[in-house]
Amino acid sequence: MLQTRNGKRTGAAMVKIAVDLLAQGKIDEKTALKRIDANKLDELLHPVFETSAIKAATVLAKGLPASPGAATGQVVFFADEAAKYPEAVLVRVETSPEDLEGMHIAKGILTARGGMTSHAAVVARGMGKCCVSGAGAVKINYKTRVMTIDGKEFHEGDWISLNGSTGEVYDGKVGTMDPDMSGDFGKVMDWATKSTRMKVRTNADSPDDAKVARDFGAQGIGLCRTEHMFFEGERIKAMREMILATDEVERRKALDKLLPYQREDFEGILEAMAGYGVTIRLLDPPLHEFVPHEEANQKIMADEMGISVEKVKALVEDLHEFNPMLGHRGCRLGITYPEITEMQARAIIEAAVNLTKKGVDARPEIMVPLVGTVAEFKNQAAIIRSVAEKVFAEKGARCDYQVGTMIEIPRAALTADHIAAEADFFSFGTNDLTQMTLGYSRDDAGKFLPDYLNRGILKQDPFQVLDQNGVGLLVEIGVTRGRSAKPDLKMGICGEHGGEPSSVMFCDSVGMDYVSCSPYRVPIARVAAAQANLK
Ligand code: PEP
Ligand code: MG
């Protein structure tokens, strides 16, 4: 034999070959499982391009493979116009929580800016929707509604196609095929269940996402980002009233309006994940994300709230920060405005008590974001625990709950023993931990990361694949020091790395209890977790 080469095969072929070889007795189950390339399972879960159509297609640009799958559609530039076309591709410089509804409607999302943990990437992955982010060659003019790529103009309504698994952007309409999830897929999942040590949870913000993930085998929610719950209908109005409030009394009035919405959301999610832990994170993003930045939307907000556009503009200006990712966000918000933490804690505990009374096994885990010092955690945990006791007294009933924290600031990892003494669990937020350890802005790294990768300065995008030597070392220190103070402290990861196979294997090696990832990555994480255990 002079030479061998690995045969190229599709994800479906990979699964069929493993299942057939096992059925023929040529390999055992563990070997069959080891032969699965977890990343390739994506092809079984998302649409792909028709083979002949993609061969004839022209690549226009390349961005980041932010959320897998193939999409073809007509260009729209504004999220609230996505419904104009039955198949739309939303094209934005970057997305923000305001764009959520349009992102839901669109077949795919293309952004000019932003990395693998940008808003567009994280949200699209949660929705299981194709997304290419950080395509630097894409220039967008919102005023003229024109996108230019290498001198070629695209107007609203023009067709483009995206491959969210490779980051390629294609000219025109390229036919797609729906995924074909055969019974063999279920067999692979069964093998994974038998061989795994680590649990796989999901990052989900709605009962629907929770159900999708549960069907894929998720055992709990590792991250429920509550900020997405503030955007629908009346909620955003109340949220903006809260932000506009000039004193605590006004703020509490607005928060009282938000409480029932939050409680209802939490009841839905806790019920969808009954019997499993549900980690609910308190408000995390900077408040400027909740106010409109485009003039037309500022006018709408002013009309809705009965205030002048100037007042809205002044508010937006006031909330401006030079570096919002390092600014007034996370637990810093809850410390400045304890009434926000109180409202959210009340909504969670009331929801859990209501469900417990109905016989539902609700298991809330309240998570404090962006903790850097134990004093921050103690401050927020004291508020949460005191609200819980109040609710128990009012309702004459109790429920089980836990209070823990994200470990996403390097200092938190380094002082994990102090924090562990106070916390019921840790969840490693490796998106922010990567940002802060490497000093790369998660939203702006797209400008230089491609150069770093091309020149070999970095081997992989650290927002995609955990930087095990640097960020991973902090994670390891966090786990070890945390467990030195509390040996049975529950540990998991909820950054985007929780669905990336090599990072999942790393999490297993440092002894985490679970990884958490977006619903459509749950099968990938389950296979990777099982393979890690077999190693
Ligand atoms: C993280 O930082 O890893 C995380 C999960 O939180 P977010 O992405 O919402 O900042
Ligand atoms: Mg974070």
Side-chain angles (χ1 to χ4, degrees):
M1 191 180 293
L2 295 177
Q3 188 191 39
T4 68
R5 287 189 192 179
N6 290 342
K8 300 278 180 292
R9 50 192 193 164
T10 62
M14 167 188 79
V15 169
K16 175 137 181 58
I17 291 168
V19 169
D20 284 358
L21 287 176
L22 175 66
Q24 291 160 13
K26 300 233 163 65
I27 54 175
D28 64 14
E29 202 170 288
K30 288 185 177 151
T31 310
L33 182 59
K34 283 192 205 158
R35 290 193 180 180
I36 299 293
D37 173 354
N39 269 326
K40 264 183 119 46
L41 291 175
D42 257 340
E43 291 174 33
L44 281 81
L45 301 166
H46 303 280
V48 289
F49 286 124
E50 287 165 4
T51 326
S52 56
I54 197 64
K55 273 189 188 147
T58 314
V59 177
L60 291 169
K62 196 160 185 314
L64 295 167
S67 179
T72 190
Q74 291 171 272
V75 169
V76 289
F77 294 102
F78 298 96
D80 53 1
E81 295 179 4
K84 261 185 168 174
Y85 303 98
E87 288 175 287
V89 169
L90 179 64
V91 176
R92 300 283 301 164
V93 175
E94 57 199 351
T95 63
S96 74
E98 279 182 273
D99 300 324
L100 219 58
E101 218 169 302
M103 293 171 78
H104 253 300
I105 296 167
K107 293 275 175 219
I109 298 142
L110 169 64
T111 68
R113 249 199 329 246
M116 291 297 289
T117 58
S118 63
H119 179 266
V122 170
V123 170
R125 235 170 281 145
M127 293 175 178
K129 182 150 304 204
C130 165
C131 174
V132 172
S133 69
V138 173
K139 307 286 173 233
I140 299 165
N141 186 332
Y142 287 133
K143 278 213 172 97
T144 56
R145 298 181 177 230
V146 175
M147 160 175 82
T148 314
I149 305 178
D150 269 346
K152 187 170 165 125
E153 285 191 358
F154 291 81
H155 298 258
E156 189 194 299
D158 287 345
W159 285 83
I160 59 166
S161 303
L162 309 175
N163 186 340
S165 310
T166 61
E168 271 143 353
V169 182
Y170 294 92
D171 197 0
K173 185 174 183 173
V174 184
T176 60
M177 297 183 298
D178 284 336
D180 173 23
M181 215 193 289
S182 69
D184 288 345
F185 179 80
K187 288 185 190 148
V188 175
M189 290 301 118
D190 289 344
W191 304 340
T193 306
K194 280 188 241 162
S195 291
T196 208
R197 175 194 69 82
M198 245 184 348
K199 301 237 179 319
V200 176
R201 291 188 177 198
T202 192
N203 294 358
D205 318 331
S206 71
D208 285 347
D209 288 354
K211 278 184 209 123
V212 170
R214 205 171 170 151
D215 288 345
F216 279 139
Q219 293 179 290
I221 290 183
L223 174 64
C224 169
R225 291 181 167 98
T226 51
E227 53 267 25
H228 293 148
M229 299 170 168
F230 289 113
F231 278 88
E232 263 170 52
E234 288 295 302
R235 301 163 186 221
I236 188 66
K237 223 174 127 197
M239 185 66 182
R240 287 172 176 168
E241 276 171 27
M242 197 275 294
I243 296 171
L244 269 169
T246 47
D247 59 28
E248 192 189 317
V249 178
E250 269 188 51
R251 223 173 359 259
R252 281 191 186 277
K253 253 197 231 159
L255 286 165
D256 283 347
K257 291 187 195 166
L258 287 166
L259 175 72
Y261 293 122
Q262 287 256 283
R263 188 175 49 226
E264 197 185 316
D265 287 337
F266 296 141
E267 280 187 17
I269 290 178
L270 287 164
E271 191 158 14
M273 270 296 168
Y276 291 122
V278 173
T279 306
I280 300 171
R281 180 180 71 184
L282 302 181
L283 192 66
D284 180 60
L287 295 182
H288 82 85
E289 291 196 10
F290 299 94
V291 293
H293 291 264
E294 280 155 18
E295 198 154 354
N297 292 334
Q298 291 179 345
K299 172 118 192 24
I300 295 172
M301 172 175 164
D303 290 346
E304 269 179 9
M305 308 200 62
I307 54 173
S308 66
V309 184
E310 284 65 42
K311 190 156 182 199
V312 175
K313 285 191 173 149
L315 173 72
V316 173
E317 180 65 22
D318 192 44
L319 291 174
H320 172 80
E321 292 176 302
F322 283 102
N323 201 338
M325 275 290 161
L326 299 179
H328 199 185
R329 59 173 285 224
C331 66
R332 300 159 200 171
L333 286 172
I335 289 170
T336 314
Y337 307 119
E339 51 279 9
I340 300 181
T341 304
E342 280 175 31
M343 183 279 283
Q344 290 202 292
R346 175 172 280 277
I348 297 167
I349 298 293
E350 285 186 356
V353 172
N354 291 348
L355 289 172
T356 309
K357 278 183 171 171
K358 280 191 341 194
V360 177
D361 184 4
R363 301 189 189 175
E365 301 164 352
I366 303 176
M367 179 153 79
V368 183
L370 223 70
V371 160
T373 71
V374 67
E376 287 172 318
F377 180 73
K378 278 168 91 168
N379 171 292
Q380 292 292 285
I383 296 174
I384 296 164
R385 292 188 175 121
S386 124
V387 168
E389 287 308 322
K390 262 192 223 152
V391 174
F392 295 155
E394 285 163 19
K395 295 209 169 256
R398 302 182 70 86
C399 69
D400 287 334
Y401 72 100
Q402 296 184 349
V403 187
T405 182
M406 296 193 72
I407 301 290
E408 54 184 342
I409 288 188
R411 193 182 188 285
L414 296 170
T415 58
D417 43 346
H418 298 275
I419 300 172
E422 306 293 327
D424 297 327
F425 64 89
F426 278 0
S427 177
F428 288 84
T430 45
N431 302 334
D432 273 309
L433 195 58
T434 298
Q435 166 169 257
M436 293 188 219
T437 305
L438 284 145
Y440 299 166
S441 155
R442 0 184 334 188
D443 296 317
D444 302 307
K447 288 217 171 105
F448 58 88
L449 273 185
D451 281 342
Y452 272 39
L453 295 169
N454 286 340
R455 288 166 207 227
I457 291 172
L458 286 177
K459 292 215 162 46
Q460 276 143 334
D461 178 346
F463 289 104
Q464 215 173 327
V465 179
L466 189 77
D467 159 40
Q468 295 184 14
N469 292 334
V471 181
L473 187 58
L474 279 170
V475 171
E476 208 175 335
I477 290 172
V479 172
T480 315
R481 293 195 182 165
R483 290 225 170 104
S484 74
K486 211 176 250 177
D488 55 354
L489 191 69
K490 186 168 53 187
M491 305 258 185
I493 181 176
C494 64
E496 290 305 302
H497 306 92
E500 192 283 317
S502 66
S503 315
V504 171
M505 293 201 178
F506 173 81
C507 294
D508 184 76
S509 73
V510 297
M512 283 200 197
D513 300 299
Y514 68 87
V515 295
S516 186
C517 56
S518 53
Y520 286 86
R521 292 175 100 187
V522 165
I524 296 170
R526 285 177 62 197
V527 167
Q531 289 174 337
N533 197 34
L534 291 179
K535 269 192 171 172

